[in-house]
Amino acid sequence: QETVCIFGTGDFGRSLGLRLLQSGYNVVYGSRDPKNSLLLPKGSKVMAHAAAACEAHVIFVAVQREHYGFLKSLASTLAGKVLIDVSNNLRRGLYPESNAEYLSSLVPGATVVKAFNTISAWALQSGGLDANRQVLICGDRADAKQQVVDIAQSLGFTVLDRGSLRAAAELEDLPLQLFPLWRLPFCIAFCLTAFIFFYALTRDVIYERVTNGKDNAFRIMISLANRVFPIVSLVMLALCYLPGALAGFLQLYNGTKYRRFPDWLDRWMLCRKQLGLLALAFGFLHVLYTLVIPIRYYVRYRINVYVISLVKDNKTYEFDNTVAWRHDAYISMGILGFGLFVLLGITSLPSVSNSLNWREFSFVQSKLGYMTLLLCTAHTFLYGWDKFLRTSSYRWWMPPSYMLSLVVPCVVLILKLILIMPCVDRKVTRIRQGWE
Amino acid sequence: QETVCIFGTGDFGRSLGLRLLQSGYNVVYGSRDPKNSLLLPKGSKVMAHAAAACEAHVIFVAVQREHYGFLKSLASTLAGKVLIDVSNNLRRGLYPESNAEYLSSLVPGATVVKAFNTISAWALQSGGLDANRQVLICGDRADAKQQVVDIAQSLGFTVLDRGSLRAAAELEDLPLQLFPLWRLPFCIAFCLTAFIFFYALTRDVIYERVTNGKDNAFRIMISLANRVFPIVSLVMLALCYLPGALAGFLQLYNGTKYRRFPDWLDRWMLCRKQLGLLALAFGFLHVLYTLVIPIRYYVRYRINVYVISLVKDNKTYEFDNTVAWRHDAYISMGILGFGLFVLLGITSLPSVSNSLNWREFSFVQSKLGYMTLLLCTAHTFLYGWDKFLRTSSYRWWMPPSYMLSLVVPCVVLILKLILIMPCVDRKVTRIRQGWE
Amino acid sequence: QETVCIFGTGDFGRSLGLRLLQSGYNVVYGSRDPKNSLLLPKGSKVMAHAAAACEAHVIFVAVQREHYGFLKSLASTLAGKVLIDVSNNLRRGLYPESNAEYLSSLVPGATVVKAFNTISAWALQSGGLDANRQVLICGDRADAKQQVVDIAQSLGFTVLDRGSLRAAAELEDLPLQLFPLWRLPFCIAFCLTAFIFFYALTRDVIYERVTNGKDNAFRIMISLANRVFPIVSLVMLALCYLPGALAGFLQLYNGTKYRRFPDWLDRWMLCRKQLGLLALAFGFLHVLYTLVIPIRYYVRYRINVYVISLVKDNKTYEFDNTVAWRHDAYISMGILGFGLFVLLGITSLPSVSNSLNWREFSFVQSKLGYMTLLLCTAHTFLYGWDKFLRTSSYRWWMPPSYMLSLVVPCVVLILKLILIMPCVDRKVTRIRQGWE
Ligand SMILES: Cc1cc2nc3c(=O)[nH]c(=O)nc-3n(C[C@H](O)[C@H](O)[C@H](O)COP(=O)(O)OP(=O)(O)OC[C@H]3O[C@@H](n4cnc5c(N)ncnc54)[C@H](O)[C@@H]3O)c2cc1C
Ligand SMILES: Cc1cc2nc3c(=O)[nH]c(=O)nc-3n(C[C@H](O)[C@H](O)[C@H](O)COP(=O)(O)OP(=O)(O)OC[C@H]3O[C@@H](n4cnc5c(N)ncnc54)[C@H](O)[C@@H]3O)c2cc1C
Ligand SMILES: Cc1cc2nc3c(=O)[nH]c(=O)nc-3n(C[C@H](O)[C@H](O)[C@H](O)COP(=O)(O)OP(=O)(O)OC[C@H]3O[C@@H](n4cnc5c(N)ncnc54)[C@H](O)[C@@H]3O)c2cc1C
Ligand SMILES: NC(=O)c1ccc[n+]([C@@H]2O[C@H](COP(=O)([O-])OP(=O)(O)OC[C@H]3O[C@@H](n4cnc5c(N)ncnc54)[C@H](OP(=O)(O)O)[C@@H]3O)[C@@H](O)[C@H]2O)c1
Ligand SMILES: NC(=O)c1ccc[n+]([C@@H]2O[C@H](COP(=O)([O-])OP(=O)(O)OC[C@H]3O[C@@H](n4cnc5c(N)ncnc54)[C@H](OP(=O)(O)O)[C@@H]3O)[C@@H](O)[C@H]2O)c1
Ligand SMILES: NC(=O)c1ccc[n+]([C@@H]2O[C@H](COP(=O)([O-])OP(=O)(O)OC[C@H]3O[C@@H](n4cnc5c(N)ncnc54)[C@H](OP(=O)(O)O)[C@@H]3O)[C@@H](O)[C@H]2O)c1
Ligand SMILES: CCCCCCCCCCCCCCCC(=O)OC[C@H](COP(=O)(O)O)OC(=O)CCCCCCCCCCCCCCC
Ligand SMILES: CCCCCCCCCCCCCCCC(=O)OC[C@H](COP(=O)(O)O)OC(=O)CCCCCCCCCCCCCCC
Ligand SMILES: CCCCCCCCCCCCCCCC(=O)OC[C@H](COP(=O)(O)O)OC(=O)CCCCCCCCCCCCCCC
Ligand code: HEM
Ligand code: HEM
Ligand code: HEM
């Protein structure tokens, strides 16, 4: 049974120690105050730092970087040992060099390995299966790294080697990231939302106010929201399939798949998942906003007033078969489209996508994805119907907002249509299989 | 640090090389064109095939099977080496023998191991945790396989040995599969949907047309859909619990659990998950179609016309307490049933079911599953109420479609009722625990 | 190739044998009836128990504890071997000592290791990736344990050592647990539901009956349900954020984070996830019950009667702008709150939370969680509006139920508000980072 030393009896040190003990290691803590061992896992020993260091060859430094100072005085004891730096910083760019390199400069005789910083104390404690299970490590000496790999593997983690200690800065950045891949899609969603909102506000509220003097402002809460959300959803759904189509044309043009895509296209392709999920979130809100329509005070008021007027004016009330068809058709398309949309969402859950093979995954994401786009576009077309022909729809020369939303989807669908024409398709397939 | 050779600098070769480098291997590429190494991972070397082969004992052949020809000329250089065949085909049955066996016949001096073909290049690149993590291997020599196992494990994959090289054909089929377990449930769903659709079409549209000359065809889009989907959902939900009940009776009859079930029952039991999830999808559509009822043009029209007629004819409008009870009750059952249905769906997500122990999983799937079935059946019963007594419901002698949907669920519930009667239950339990 | 022996050819023995064969082991079964090997995996051998035991050093005992008796007679053959006890019991507390310890007492010469009992036969068969992948082991001798660890790892499982054989009782309890962490949240939910239900029943049904003699009982099915579920949801959502706030104040008071929390607070904090998910389930039901409002018979009746009365009495029907604002606003808040609620639910799926780093996870759960609470509380406030001022709301001195539901959320929000005031926040942050 190997002995491992841990400096620092804080949250991380304690959780790590417990886990090491469970996996059959002996654990020795190095602490400023060896008496105070109340919360430490049973079976571990606590000593002063120097004494603890002597007991083991591998030492975890579970102390904040700010307090590394005391290690300098231990430099001679630590010479020849493997120091594992697990530390993170509170913000990026706090220090010029990475914590691991700083540690290495403090104790030049020891070999420093950066590892475990992406694992939270909580993850260590709750068993490891339930939290990020990948330990990233880096360091300059292969044998020291191997020892850390062995420990990590016996704790049940998988290990990914990221190279020399120079990579430490990168590893220290990882836990500070906040949804890096979602940033661009969020920006797009935000800008689109803002634009459509002001567009619809102008058409539906301000126009009404200026020309008829009517105060429609309460419509912002639901009517406008239910105009903005579906449009953003549809556009983002289309944006998510646009780069694939562009890539196809680019490959046709290049005649090979080995030419790199331009950078912007590469970046765009990498955030399609996020674009799609945001589109789903907006679509979800659209559905909820639609389903509450009949319980709105305003809608009930309007319907009642309409019925009363019908009775009072003794008008006949004709049933319009075409409207019934069209109305039911667009709602039905919406529902089916949304069903497929949710299915796309479900298959992008990591655990589901892992259990699909590549062919199944791209069947769902690519084939059914285009089907979703088609259904949603048809839904919007049928919703609009002949509105675009009526001049009353163009207020201050602004077309109805749903028309704006149709531009990108139509472009994508047309591009795709071209790509799946047999002659083009054959050529694309040949290119993609590397037959030159 | 071991050196590994990769033939082919395509998508797969590059991704694999990058991953190998990250895990601490040296990587040497063999390429037709050693100059063109622009896209290759940093740290790797590129040479002609023969030169590269000399550098390593293990060689990945990341080239399409169509181009294996060139390996023949390298046969002497490759003698004694381990060749890993990662290739897949575009369709099944393209070639008489598997790619791996073909490779083995081309280079008889080398040991061929089939592996990694189920892992996509993308999965290799994006870190492995996020895609199928199981590497299936097969091969004729244990020591060669062990070397591949070691490599796969250090890349963070788990390995499943599938035996001798004859299994290669099977492994090559895996990535070509498209939802094999879903096929039967899909067929059932499709046939049921078609049958119920035409049944309901006849009763609701054609009958109306023939006897009253009214054109009801617009009802197809929503009213009919909302008749077909819930019925299919209910029947499939019942079909998903029927085999378990049949198995119980069969075990009672056999008096032992070690007699094999008939083949059709075994196959049926294996696709219950898929049956259940499809039932959920149809149920989900039913719910959406139900919730949009009040925003339909047709429904609003009907209600308004009704109110107008009430006013004009000056009829009194009585509140019927029983109808209120019944109506609210059936909707409430539907909601609770659907809630449990969604819960069943959530617990069948791989990541959730993994975190449940066996007892918890079968509590949810079996106990709460039967509860779901009970609630949904009660929902349908209360919806129909005394309709089956009224002769007007039998158009052209066809009973209302909801009555058809009740047959299978009732059978299942009765069978289950028998099985949980204390006397029977005791006997079944005894059999299943192997006490004979 | 190592040989492993399995006693017992039941479900577990067969599945385990198949898996061992696939991973490259030789498998020998020990059975009472070596002839009857119909269902056994191909490639394995079957013998009498004694003969089988001689072939291997490691023996799995895949037999129910009730039948361990026969092992006593084999004691001499088994001396020096490693016996792996995989057994579970049907209920807790059936026997005074654990099965593994009983086995050890039967065959004192052998080394007993408890392992694999948490893995179901089905999980072994279906590949291991898709079921609980963690093998818990315990035993008194390190070398024997190491052999079991090796086997488990080559089958693709991760291993967690739980110490000496005395831990066996604990391991045998695990598969018998039924949602231990959900128990407390369920109790809370149940009590709350019962209380609010009777409260609302008194106010809405009994009061009406006693004072006006009207029979409102049908309202139980939907109206009352839709009063109870949202209230329970809101209170439980608040209860889920209350302990975090209390912890903050406690740490402020203690001036350190190293003082243990009182036991009740610790337990409460550990079941917040479950509290939150139950709150989501209740919220989900609230949404469904709300969305069906317009298709209810009762609601349609009420609206129609209202319109008819308007027409008959020739009253003017005024549009109230404030009501329109308020109504739309509270519904909109509800929708956005529910959207975030679902998002919280999605990120607590194990596979999703695993792919988030700590910072991202607590951004969603903590920041967006408080946002959810805020939106839902605002939703309820706006729903109630000035009802609390009207005396007619206080039936039998009982305030409307929605007012009760606001108490806990308001407390939580106020506590949080204090904690994020810059001066307090700075102090809390300092404490939590261990700078004292
Ligand atoms: C709700 C929802 C969820 C989604 N979830 C996911 C998800 O989990 N994961 C995901 O990836 N996407 C996801 N998406 C986005 C989208 O569905 C997929 O990206 C989809 O595969 C795109 O299909 P496509 O046919 O346009 O593109 P592709 O299938 O990528 O086809 C484009 C073509 O370009 C070529 N190509 C692509 N990349 C390269 C490259 N680097 N080098 C050379 N050639 C290349 C390929 O040969 C491919 O045939 C989601 C979308 C939605 C709406
Ligand atoms: C939305 C939804 C999701 C679902 N997800 C899943 C899922 O993820 N996984 C899943 O498996 N099912 C799933 N199902 C299907 C279904 O819920 C389960 O199969 C459920 O366990 C069936 O319960 P049961 O009591 O009828 O059968 P069982 O619990 O299987 O009981 C039948 C009895 O037969 C015996 N038996 C079964 N198989 C054998 C055998 N091979 N040899 C000897 N005896 C045997 C057992 O002793 C058992 O007691 C899902 C269903 C729905 C509606
Ligand atoms: C739908 C839904 C799903 C949810 N899913 C989850 C889930 O998957 N996982 C989950 O954990 N919660 C889940 N929750 C519960 C809740 O969202 C989280 O617990 C959330 O992190 C609480 O945030 P907080 O800011 O109140 O508490 P915290 O983020 O815990 O903050 C409380 C403070 O107390 C301190 N503290 C906490 N514990 C300790 C300790 N042991 N020792 C010393 N100091 C301590 C910390 O320093 C922390 O800053 C869910 C809730 C809902 C509504
Ligand atoms: N918590 C996590 O989830 C997590 C995750 C990844 C990485 N990390 C990293 O792990 C390290 C420890 O984190 P933590 O959460 O455990 O912090 P912590 O709870 O604040 O504990 C830090 C420990 O360091 C010791 N220490 C404090 N001041 C010291 C000083 N001046 N000189 C010497 N030792 C001192 C103390 O132990 P003694 O009193 O025994 O000396 C203290 O318990 C940090 O670098 C952190 O970035 C933490
Ligand atoms: N891509 C995947 O996701 C994936 C997944 C599993 C298995 N595979 C299998 O991996 C293999 C390679 O797939 P890939 O996607 O990388 O294909 P690819 O991108 O088309 O690359 C194939 C490589 O093979 C080499 N090559 C092409 N023609 C050749 C010839 N006539 N003679 C010698 N070498 C030739 C080329 O490399 P040089 O120019 O350097 O010679 C080329 O880069 C295939 O067998 C495939 O089935 C791929
Ligand atoms: N099934 C699971 O999912 C699972 C999961 C974890 C743990 N376990 C444990 O694994 C063990 C076996 O479970 P199982 O499901 O395989 O049970 P099983 O199907 O009932 O098989 C038990 C086997 O034990 C043998 N056996 C029965 N009576 C015996 C006797 N009087 N003397 C000697 N051998 C006898 C029989 O094999 P022969 O006829 O060949 O002698 C029989 O096939 C149990 O301890 C169980 O708790 C099972
Ligand atoms: C028009 C279609 C409408 C679709 C509606 C969606 C409902 C659910 C459909 C389930 C389809 C799952 C496909 C999985 C693909 C696959 O092969 O997946 C294969 C995997 C792996 O299976 P194995 O573990 O058996 O290998 O199976 C799964 O992961 C099952 C996923 C279950 C997902 C259920 C999630 C339910 C969540 C609730 C959503 C709806 C809520 C609605 C509230 C109003
Ligand atoms: C009548 C009931 C109604 C149910 C309604 C479903 C709502 C969600 C209920 C969550 C219940 C989770 C049970 C998990 C079992 C378990 O123990 O699971 C245990 C696991 C593992 O927990 P540990 O990681 O703590 O071990 O926990 C989970 O996996 C949490 C699963 C969270 C699932 C939330 C998914 C939300 C998706 C959105 C669906 C609804 C959308 C509606 C749109 C209109
Ligand atoms: C106001 C917001 C409204 C939100 C509404 C929810 C809709 C879905 C939003 C998806 C957001 C996912 C955030 C994931 C966080 C993350 O970074 O997650 C990161 C992970 C991991 O990504 P990588 O694998 O790329 O590393 O990604 C995911 O796990 C994707 C999760 C997809 C979840 C889709 C589930 C859909 C289920 C259906 C629910 C709705 C049904 C409604 C029926 C009426
Ligand atoms: C259950 C599914 C759906 C239903 C019931 C539904 C219903 C509706 C209804 C009733 C409208 C008219 C709204 C109004 O009168 O203001 C509408 C508009 C619209 N819907 Fe849907 N829809 C669904 C899904 C979707 C999806 C998935 C998308 C796209 C991603 C979408 C995109 C649109 C668009 C772009 C509009 C036009 C918005 C406008 O300009 O007013 N819908 N939908
Ligand atoms: C939120 C949940 C649910 C609600 C609100 C709901 C509501 C309804 C309504 C209003 C109807 C009458 C439809 C009509 O008039 O045409 C109906 C019918 C029906 N429902 Fe549901 N339901 C729900 C869930 C379910 C579920 C989960 C199932 C079964 C799996 C189901 C099965 C049926 C069946 C079989 C019918 C009869 C269809 C017919 O013949 O017309 N329902 N439901
Ligand atoms: C889609 C989202 C939501 C919608 C459309 C919605 C709508 C409504 C409606 C229409 C009412 C009035 C019910 C009645 O008249 O009896 C209501 C009440 C209420 N809602 Fe929501 N809601 C939503 C989400 C939520 C959520 C997520 C919560 C909290 C967790 C919540 C908490 C409440 C509460 C406490 C009441 C008062 C119940 C009472 O005393 O009657 N709502 N909601």
Side-chain angles (χ1 to χ4, degrees), chain A residues 100-122:
Chain A
E101 287 164 309
Y102 170 61
L103 178 59
S104 184
S105 72
L106 284 179
V107 196
T111 315
V112 173
V113 175
K114 179 92 209 173
F116 282 98
N117 68 314
T118 55
I119 309 294
S120 75
W122 175 81

Side-chain angles (χ1 to χ4, degrees), chain C residues 25-41:
Chain C
Y25 288 91
N26 289 326
V27 173
V28 179
Y29 282 98
S31 170
R32 289 168 302 173
D33 179 13
K35 301 276 164 50
N36 190 352
S37 61
L38 267 181
L39 299 166
L40 295 182

Side-chain angles (χ1 to χ4, degrees), chain B residues 172-193:
Chain B
E172 286 168 14
D173 260 8
L174 279 183
L176 297 175
Q177 282 176 353
L178 194 61
F179 297 111
L181 283 170
W182 292 80
R183 209 145 288 178
L184 182 59
F186 258 119
C187 281
I188 297 176
F190 184 80
C191 296
L192 265 175
T193 307

Side-chain angles (χ1 to χ4, degrees), chain A residues 134 161 257-258 260 294 307 314 317 319-321 325 327-329 332 351-352 354 357 359-360 433, chain B residues 11 22 39 64 90 129-132 174-177 179 218 221 289 295-297 301 304 312 349 351:
Chain A
Q134 183 153 292
D161 189 334
K257 71 171 179 181
Y258 293 117
R260 255 223 136 91
V307 174
N314 220 340
Y317 185 25
F319 181 72
D320 185 338
N321 209 37
W325 261 107
H327 210 265
D328 279 12
S332 210
S351 69
V352 176
N354 282 352
N357 71 32
R359 199 173 156 223
E360 292 165 345
Q433 276 160 19
Chain B
D11 289 345
Q22 285 175 343
L39 299 166
Q64 317 273 0
L90 292 176
L129 271 190
D130 241 59
N132 209 319
L174 279 183
L176 297 175
Q177 282 176 353
F179 297 111
F218 73 90
M221 295 310 286
Y289 274 105
I295 56 175
R296 289 177 64 199
Y297 168 76
Y301 171 82
N304 291 349
K312 294 217 168 134
L349 286 166
S351 68

Side-chain angles (χ1 to χ4, degrees), chain C residues 93-170:
Chain C
L94 263 186
Y95 304 102
E97 82 290 55
S98 70
N99 301 349
E101 286 164 309
Y102 171 60
L103 178 59
S104 183
S105 72
L106 285 180
V107 197
T111 316
V112 173
V113 176
K114 179 95 210 171
F116 283 98
N117 68 313
T118 55
I119 308 294
S120 76
W122 175 80
L124 280 165
Q125 205 152 31
S126 67
L129 269 190
D130 240 60
N132 209 321
R133 244 164 322 125
Q134 183 153 293
V135 170
L136 301 169
I137 77 168
C138 70
D140 286 334
R141 293 207 18 204
D143 52 343
K145 283 202 277 190
Q146 190 53 45
Q147 287 178 301
V148 182
V149 168
D150 288 345
I151 292 178
Q153 280 178 346
S154 36
L155 300 190
F157 295 99
T158 56
V159 182
L160 199 60
D161 188 335
R162 296 292 287 263
S164 73
L165 206 61
R166 252 168 314 137
E170 210 180 294

Side-chain angles (χ1 to χ4, degrees), chain A residues 394-413:
Chain A
Y394 299 84
R395 305 181 183 156
W396 288 341
W397 302 101
M398 294 159 86
S401 40
Y402 87 90
M403 282 172 61
L404 299 187
S405 76
L406 283 169
V407 177
V408 195
C410 290
V411 169
V412 175
L413 288 174

